[in-house]
Amino acid sequence: MRSKFLSRQAVLAILLVSLVGTQAEAQRRSFAQKLTEKVAFDPTGTLLIENPLGAVNIVGTNDSVLEISANWVVTGVDDAAVAEGRRQTHILLGGTSQNRVLRSIVVQPPRDQRWSVSVSYFLRVPRSVHVNVWSRSGDGVSISNLSGNVNVKTMSGPIHLNAVLGLIHADSVNGNIYATYTVAPTVNALLSTVNGHIEVITPRTAGFTWYAETLKGDFLTALNVRGGFSRRPGATVYRASVNGGTTPVLQTTTMTGRVTVGAEGLPSRSLLASTHGRPGPAMPQDDVTPLLQRVSDTLLVQPPTARTFVAQRNLIDGNFKFETSLGNVFFGEVRGNADISTQAGEIVLGRVAGTCSASSLGGPLNLGDISGVLTARTAAGHVHVRAARRGGSISTDGGNVHVVHAGGPVSLYSGGGDIILQNATSRVKAETKSGDISVTLDGAVRSETIELQSVRGNIVLNVPPGFAADVDITIIASSDVANRIQSQLAGLSIIRDQIGGLTRIRGVGKFNGGGQKVTLSAEDGSVHIRSMNSPQMVVLPPRQ
């Protein structure tokens, strides 16, 4: 059955697939439907795909069209659950013939696991287009026969790249990456995974530079390589010329997996096995076992996921900077400013007396009591902060953000996860591309600037009873639901109108006579403003 698309905005031309169909009588607790669509697509265009719900398969063709085939499956504990899953699932197709956007979303995910949904895509695209894919599902991404650039980011599931001739950037947290070149590569490729393996197959005579890093894995090859190892804190690094080549550059990075660069039909050999041992860490290590448990119990929101660390110190007296290519790091206390970064791994910090910068290209951030301004960012993983006493900027491209206390202005961002701020004493800006936002203001706050935006999720704002603000709430939804905006504070006027087949709900007004600006925006979600009857008490460890 052919799907129906509705225009959402004149500029973006967002199209909404009407997911309708019939359920077979023999399957009372499941629903399956195949949706198809074909639209014009410029061969020099760009395609963006966001699908957290299932597999993505893309094949390049010589046609100037985008062909979409989507397999949509909803399962539930009963017929009512399946029907709810169908109502809450949408596929959005938008953009122009030059820039196409395809998204699959669940408007309101089930809280009780009564139903689940999967959407898998098979796409045929002009082979010269540029492709960007984001996936959170473990079903994987497969791309073949493209000459344009490819950018893929996944949380789990394998990435398969076959006969991709353009620039490649493939990034995964827990998935393997497989890249097969049918001809010698001519442009750079960056392949990175935290906990997966990387396997690259090229023609036997292909020439290029190979740069590889791993923490616990191995390097294997079947090709003619000339290079050597170098020492980096917590990582084994290998750089070599393959078949005498210098360009392009193939960069492969994994934390726990192995890296293989080979050729079809040739056996691969281990490069590490022929060395006299791996380079060791460049800094002394403390026995932190007792302290790690104490920090976990008293300072951290969640226990660390890491069990081993390439750098671990109990106490650093003064300012400190540390960088590692791969590996987890733990520092119990830094009595000064701290600047910590890893390209792949978890960062665990107990206390920092000054400003703090913590960054990872793939791994969780687990931070305790930060006295100065905090800058924390990871490309993939959850971020937990016990106390950011002077506020700061905290972000992840894929994961949840959880902050217990923010004592200064704070900016929070998630590319795909929930945001929770339990106690805020100053202005707050929070944005998530797929998830809920929950912010609770301290009971002493009388008026403050708040800006919260969720693209696919709900917003909950908890404020003191006397909180004063000028309020502007906007909701864009696929249906007009009366209780999309709920407020326990009086003063809102609700306005509804239609935009391109969708419903826009506005809530505008003043709380307690007005004050600082509160701007809340939820797409395919709801907004709840709650009044706390008494100031919230958040128990934090004392500063020493």
Side-chain angles (χ1 to χ4, degrees):
M1 184 178 107
R2 196 171 177 81
S3 58
K4 178 183 178 183
F5 292 87
L6 300 175
S7 174
R8 178 174 182 181
Q9 294 180 10
V11 177
L12 298 178
I14 298 289
L15 304 176
L16 174 63
V17 179
S18 177
L19 300 177
V20 296
T22 59
Q23 180 181 16
E25 289 295 325
Q27 279 188 308
R28 299 297 298 173
R29 297 185 179 181
S30 66
F31 168 86
Q33 184 182 1
K34 184 175 182 179
L35 306 167
T36 61
E37 184 65 38
K38 181 186 292 187
V39 294
F41 198 4
D42 193 301
T44 63
T46 299
L47 173 64
L48 170 63
I49 302 172
E50 295 182 2
N51 183 34
L53 306 176
V56 176
N57 295 276
I58 303 173
V59 176
T61 71
N62 293 324
D63 299 326
S64 297
V65 296
L66 168 61
E67 296 184 46
I68 303 171
S69 178
N71 293 319
W72 176 43
V73 178
V74 181
T75 58
V77 297
D78 52 31
D79 290 344
V82 172
E84 180 184 347
R86 292 173 59 186
R87 289 193 303 269
Q88 297 298 334
T89 306
H90 299 285
I91 296 175
L92 304 176
L93 172 64
T96 65
S97 61
Q98 184 67 33
N99 296 283
R100 291 293 182 188
V101 179
L102 179 62
R103 292 186 174 97
S104 54
I105 65 172
V106 174
V107 178
Q108 291 184 338
R111 298 297 184 184
D112 52 6
Q113 307 298 318
R114 295 183 66 251
W115 56 268
S116 62
V117 61
S118 68
V119 179
S120 297
Y121 293 113
F122 180 82
L123 309 176
R124 294 170 63 86
V125 304
R127 68 185 311 267
S128 56
V129 302
H130 305 302
V131 173
N132 300 280
V133 179
W134 176 81
S135 173
R136 194 165 56 189
S137 167
D139 295 327
V141 175
S142 176
I143 302 175
S144 60
N145 195 36
L146 289 184
S147 60
N149 299 336
V150 170
N151 186 354
V152 182
K153 179 173 290 187
T154 68
M155 293 296 292
S156 60
I159 299 175
H160 292 271
L161 305 170
N162 183 49
V164 176
L165 304 182
L167 183 71
I168 297 175
H169 186 181
D171 190 358
S172 179
V173 177
N174 295 314
N176 298 333
I177 300 176
Y178 305 92
T180 300
Y181 289 90
T182 55
V183 297
T186 59
V187 294
N188 297 343
L190 174 59
L191 312 178
S192 176
T193 177
V194 178
N195 298 314
H197 304 300
I198 299 175
E199 181 177 304
V200 181
I201 301 297
T202 71
R204 301 185 183 188
T205 58
F208 53 91
T209 293
W210 177 24
Y211 179 88
E213 296 186 19
T214 187
L215 172 62
K216 298 180 179 179
D218 197 357
F219 304 131
L220 299 94
T221 188
L223 303 178
N224 179 22
V225 296
R226 175 173 294 181
F229 295 94
S230 61
R231 293 181 178 271
R232 294 281 182 85
T236 304
V237 180
Y238 182 71
R239 185 181 182 94
S241 171
V242 179
N243 290 320
T246 57
T247 58
V249 176
L250 172 64
Q251 183 170 341
T252 56
T253 302
T254 177
M255 180 175 170
T256 62
R258 65 179 180 274
V259 179
T260 303
V261 175
E264 195 70 40
L266 294 181
S268 296
R269 65 189 185 279
S270 170
L271 296 173
L272 284 173
S274 61
T275 68
H276 297 290
R278 302 181 181 219
M283 66 177 295
Q285 309 287 286
D286 295 339
D287 180 9
V288 299
T289 303
L291 179 65
L292 181 61
Q293 186 62 51
R294 189 162 62 251
V295 167
S296 178
D297 292 341
T298 61
L299 290 174
L300 302 183
V301 180
Q302 294 286 340
T305 59
R307 293 294 178 265
T308 59
F309 302 92
V310 300
Q312 51 187 42
R313 300 291 299 274
N314 288 319
L315 173 64
I316 296 170
D317 196 0
N319 298 334
F320 180 66
K321 182 175 182 178
F322 179 82
E323 179 179 357
T324 182
S325 299
L326 287 168
N328 308 311
V329 297
F330 167 77
F331 300 106
E333 182 176 359
V334 178
R335 294 178 179 173
N337 301 329
D339 186 351
I340 314 296
S341 64
T342 176
Q343 291 190 19
E346 180 176 9
I347 296 177
V348 182
L349 297 176
R351 297 182 190 273
V352 176
T355 61
C356 177
S357 174
S359 64
S360 174
L361 294 183
L365 305 180
N366 209 332
L367 313 179
D369 193 330
I370 311 300
S371 295
V373 176
L374 171 63
T375 303
R377 186 186 187 283
T378 179
H382 300 316
V383 181
H384 298 285
V385 180
R386 180 73 172 179
R389 297 192 178 273
R390 294 187 61 188
S393 174
I394 303 168
S395 66
T396 174
D397 289 341
N400 299 331
V401 175
H402 184 187
V403 180
V404 175
H405 172 71
V410 67
S411 174
L412 312 173
Y413 173 82
S414 174
D418 297 336
I419 295 176
I420 301 173
L421 175 54
Q422 292 180 234
N423 182 266
T425 63
S426 188
R427 67 177 181 268
V428 178
K429 180 178 181 180
E431 178 185 1
T432 176
K433 297 298 185 182
S434 179
D436 298 335
I437 298 177
S438 175
V439 173
T440 300
L441 300 184
D442 187 85
V445 175
R446 293 293 172 257
S447 184
E448 193 53 78
T449 301
I450 307 295
E451 183 179 350
L452 310 180
Q453 180 179 358
S454 174
V455 177
R456 292 184 290 274
N458 306 312
I459 294 175
V460 176
L461 177 61
N462 300 306
V463 300
F467 182 73
D470 289 353
V471 183
D472 188 347
I473 303 173
T474 302
I475 290 178
I476 302 294
S478 56
S479 61
D480 186 359
V481 179
N483 61 353
R484 290 276 187 181
I485 298 177
Q486 294 182 341
S487 175
Q488 294 179 350
L489 273 67
L492 288 182
S493 297
I494 307 299
I495 305 170
R496 291 176 171 82
D497 55 13
Q498 297 294 316
I499 301 177
L502 299 177
T503 299
R504 181 174 67 179
I505 307 172
R506 293 285 306 280
V508 181
K510 296 179 181 292
F511 290 159
N512 294 309
Q516 298 294 325
K517 187 76 171 181
V518 171
T519 306
L520 311 178
S521 174
E523 183 175 331
D524 290 315
S526 60
V527 171
H528 302 268
I529 300 176
R530 298 170 180 169
S531 174
M532 300 178 295
N533 293 327
S534 60
Q536 184 190 45
M537 179 176 292
V538 177
V539 179
L540 295 173
R543 285 185 289 181
Q544 297 179 352

